[in-house]
Amino acid sequence: MPLLSRLFSIIALTLLLSACSQTLERKTCVALASDVSYCLAPVVDSLPQQQTVSATQKATIRTQTQQHELLTQLELTQQNLTLVGLAPLGQALFTLTFDGETLISEQSSFMGEQFKAEYLLAIMQLIYWSDASVNHHLQGAVMRSYQCDADLCRGVFADNKNNIDSQNSNKHQPMIAIRYRGSDNSQLDRWQADVELSIQAAKFTLNISPI
């Protein structure tokens, strides 16, 4: 998972920098591992019962040697997904817009071509989109829930989607593990939950908390 680690290292570097922005069109498919890929799902796949989502969040990024924070504002409608990233003092780092087909990244010029916006949106979709939607766009692996001590745990498992054995889902550790914790005495809403996404192979952890 080195590309994911580099992505967030680049974001961390820009937290102390300001610069002119540039607008780029990005790919919509990413490699999560040597034999695993994911293509961004349509935005409407995440809106089964509501028309819009607006979420302000704090993201904490931890690697083996560093820890950084940024703020995000996510707006989701039937037509578009927009994700804005801000440094803790309010400097704009990037604005990503995805209409289901085209991904546009308006970003600090310090990020350059090394900032892979498609990886960031892929991570957001893995966290918030349904298992069925993710699996429809995931190749070489499967997203599924598994038992844990959190309110909900989901993971990307290197597996054949045509041979899923839910009874043995805990036999293997997920490549990407996602843990959700909601408010007490309430039904879990992923958009309002505290989320931890971890990639053990990359020694990478992303924590997202609603604000």
Side-chain angles (χ1 to χ4, degrees):
M1 305 288 178
L3 282 174
L4 293 177
S5 297
R6 287 202 299 272
L7 164 66
F8 287 101
S9 295
I10 292 165
I11 292 175
L13 176 64
T14 63
L15 295 179
L16 300 178
L17 301 174
S18 61
C20 296
S21 64
Q22 56 183 338
T23 301
L24 301 168
E25 183 173 340
R26 293 298 192 179
K27 299 183 298 182
T28 57
C29 294
V30 301
L32 299 178
S34 58
D35 298 318
V36 179
S37 63
Y38 178 74
C39 293
L40 296 177
V43 293
V44 294
D45 283 11
S46 65
L47 295 169
Q49 296 179 338
Q50 59 192 67
Q51 296 300 311
T52 63
V53 170
S54 180
T56 303
Q57 301 166 315
K58 180 180 77 172
T60 303
I61 302 157
R62 297 181 180 87
T63 64
Q64 192 170 12
T65 58
Q66 297 181 338
Q67 175 174 322
H68 299 279
E69 292 184 354
L70 68 151
L71 303 176
T72 63
Q73 178 65 39
L74 184 145
E75 301 290 337
L76 182 62
T77 69
Q78 292 285 345
Q79 291 77 37
N80 290 286
L81 165 62
T82 302
L83 180 66
V84 178
L86 303 172
L89 296 179
Q91 302 98 322
L93 301 176
F94 56 81
T95 299
L96 310 180
T97 305
F98 178 58
D99 64 4
E101 296 182 0
T102 303
L103 172 59
I104 300 297
S105 174
E106 183 178 350
Q107 61 195 53
S108 165
S109 60
F110 277 101
M111 291 182 170
E113 289 290 335
Q114 295 185 34
F115 174 60
K116 303 299 184 182
E118 59 268 31
Y119 277 92
L120 183 55
L121 279 199
I123 284 177
M124 298 300 286
Q125 289 199 354
L126 293 178
I127 292 173
Y128 294 112
W129 268 233
S130 68
D131 289 2
S133 176
V134 169
N135 284 329
H136 187 68
H137 300 276
L138 186 63
Q139 298 294 323
V142 60
M143 168 72 80
R144 62 187 180 220
S145 302
Y146 61 97
Q147 293 184 346
C148 66
D149 60 356
D151 293 320
L152 172 66
C153 282
R154 302 165 68 225
V156 175
F157 293 81
D159 202 349
N160 185 332
K161 285 186 286 189
N162 295 320
N163 188 28
I164 301 173
D165 185 351
S166 60
Q167 299 299 319
N168 296 314
S169 61
N170 291 321
K171 279 190 174 182
H172 306 288
Q173 293 298 315
M175 301 164 46
I176 301 176
I178 311 170
R179 301 164 63 87
Y180 306 79
R181 293 189 183 277
S183 301
D184 293 338
N185 302 319
S186 64
Q187 186 175 359
L188 180 67
D189 179 350
R190 294 179 193 172
W191 291 103
Q192 296 299 320
D194 290 313
V195 180
E196 178 183 278
L197 179 145
S198 59
I199 306 171
Q200 186 174 8
K203 295 182 172 57
F204 168 85
T205 302
L206 170 66
N207 288 91
I208 298 177
S209 299
I211 297 176

